[in-house]
Amino acid sequence: MKNLERWKEKIELDDLNADEREIFNQMGMGKSSRRKFVKKVSAASLSIWASSYFSSELYANSVTDFSEKPWKLLNAVKVNFQVNDTSKTLTLDSRMSLLDALRERLTLTGTKKGCDHGQCGACTVIIDGKRNLSCLTLAATCEGKKITTVEGFASNGEMHPMQKAFLKHDGFQCGYCTPGQICSSIALLEEAKNGEASYVTEDIKNFQSDLKLSEEEIRERMSGNICRCGAYNNIVLAFKEVHSGDDEMPTWEFATQEQMDNAKNA
């Protein structure tokens, strides 16, 4: 600041042209505009302080605390469903996705919006026991259905075994896809219990319940959930521990140098 004052003393504003004087005045370096400059800075500082003060109460309220105004909706419908064992009634736009209803109307932000095109699996939830992509599911179609999000797995402060396994095996890095991965994994446990087939099932005619899924089956059945960090090996480990009690490392091996040379020369 002292250097600025010394520099200003060396400058004679009368020696500057009109444009240069205007710039100096806007910067608050002209004698006539210093007081204006101080006032502007003070007003700006006051507005920043006031915005945080008056908006604090607004931000503290959840979306569900705001009164509903269905007359503002062009295509209003009333939907009744269960979310994490709690009955919910919402008046919403008939075109609203379940993902937006969960995040924006019920403040259940554990379910993530990734691609919003049904390609990444970050928005996976469980509807009536089946895993679904909430970004492609209209909330209006969930009338009377039971929905479980990642917030609904813990019970009495105790995490679900799958959640514990993800923590134990470090089945995530950034964590963005983790809610969808966990929802998909827990639903997959029931699919294996019911003997549901997948693309890599060898004999779909030979129906068996309580399947013990191979690593190939796990990777195939979880392929709809994309992990941009590449924590797939650890996710498989977490699922195997809960599914079959197998706490061993994956059996697949990296290609040896001999295999790489053979592939190169083929």
Side-chain angles (χ1 to χ4, degrees):
M1 192 68 182
K2 292 182 178 179
N3 292 335
L4 179 60
E5 292 295 334
R6 295 195 188 97
W7 182 57
K8 286 163 55 178
E9 291 176 358
K10 295 180 180 180
I11 297 177
E12 292 293 339
L13 294 182
D14 294 337
D15 296 335
L16 303 177
N17 59 39
D19 292 336
E20 292 171 336
R21 282 197 297 271
E22 179 63 24
I23 293 174
F24 270 67
N25 287 330
Q26 291 178 6
M27 294 172 61
M29 297 175 64
K31 294 180 180 180
S32 62
S33 60
R34 291 180 189 176
R35 184 171 298 175
K36 294 181 181 179
F37 178 75
V38 173
K39 288 182 179 179
K40 290 181 180 179
V41 172
S42 301
S45 302
L46 180 61
S47 63
I48 294 173
W49 171 82
S51 63
S52 61
Y53 178 80
F54 290 113
S55 61
S56 58
E57 183 178 353
L58 176 65
Y59 293 148
N61 293 326
S62 64
V63 177
T64 53
D65 293 332
F66 301 148
S67 60
E68 294 187 359
K69 295 182 179 179
W71 58 85
K72 289 188 176 182
L73 300 175
L74 296 177
N75 303 279
V77 294
K78 182 170 287 188
V79 184
N80 301 278
F81 46 60
Q82 278 193 352
V83 180
N84 300 332
D85 296 325
T86 302
S87 296
K88 298 290 184 181
T89 300
L90 294 178
T91 301
L92 40 76
D93 192 300
S94 61
R95 299 162 295 182
M96 175 175 279
S97 68
L98 176 60
L99 173 60
D100 289 337
L102 292 172
R103 291 181 57 85
E104 298 177 12
R105 299 299 302 277
L106 298 178
T107 64
L108 294 172
T109 54
T111 306
K112 302 304 181 187
K113 178 178 286 192
C115 65
D116 209 24
H117 287 76
Q119 298 176 345
C120 71
C123 68
T124 303
V125 298
I126 300 177
I127 304 178
D128 288 343
K130 301 292 185 180
R131 46 183 168 164
N132 284 263
L133 298 171
S134 60
C135 74
L136 298 184
T137 304
L138 290 175
T141 65
C142 297
E143 175 70 30
K145 295 186 177 181
K146 182 179 181 180
I147 302 167
T148 305
T149 69
V150 69
E151 292 93 342
F153 294 125
S155 178
N156 297 323
E158 187 74 12
M159 289 189 299
H160 189 281
M162 188 65 72
Q163 293 173 306
K164 294 181 180 179
F166 265 69
L167 287 172
K168 176 182 176 181
H169 294 283
D170 198 18
F172 53 88
Q173 288 187 36
C174 76
Y176 195 85
C177 74
T178 306
Q181 298 275 5
I182 291 177
C183 287
S184 189
S185 298
I186 292 175
L188 180 53
L189 292 174
E190 289 299 315
E191 293 176 14
K193 184 178 180 180
N194 297 333
E196 298 181 21
S198 76
Y199 181 78
V200 296
T201 300
E202 294 183 1
D203 186 3
I204 60 174
K205 295 181 180 181
N206 184 18
F207 176 83
Q208 294 181 354
S209 59
D210 295 321
L211 297 174
K212 183 177 180 180
L213 302 179
S214 64
E215 291 173 7
E216 182 184 15
E217 281 274 16
I218 296 171
R219 294 196 299 273
E220 166 60 27
R221 292 172 185 258
M222 291 290 295
S223 61
N225 292 84
I226 306 301
C227 174
R228 294 166 179 81
C229 303
Y232 296 112
N233 291 357
N234 298 344
I235 292 172
V236 171
L237 286 177
F239 181 86
K240 285 174 61 178
E241 179 174 326
V242 180
H243 171 57
S244 59
D246 187 355
D247 195 19
E248 298 179 359
M249 292 297 293
T251 56
W252 65 79
E253 298 178 356
F254 292 101
T256 63
Q257 186 63 45
E258 181 181 357
Q259 292 172 326
M260 294 175 64
D261 293 339
N262 292 338
K264 185 177 181 180
N265 297 326

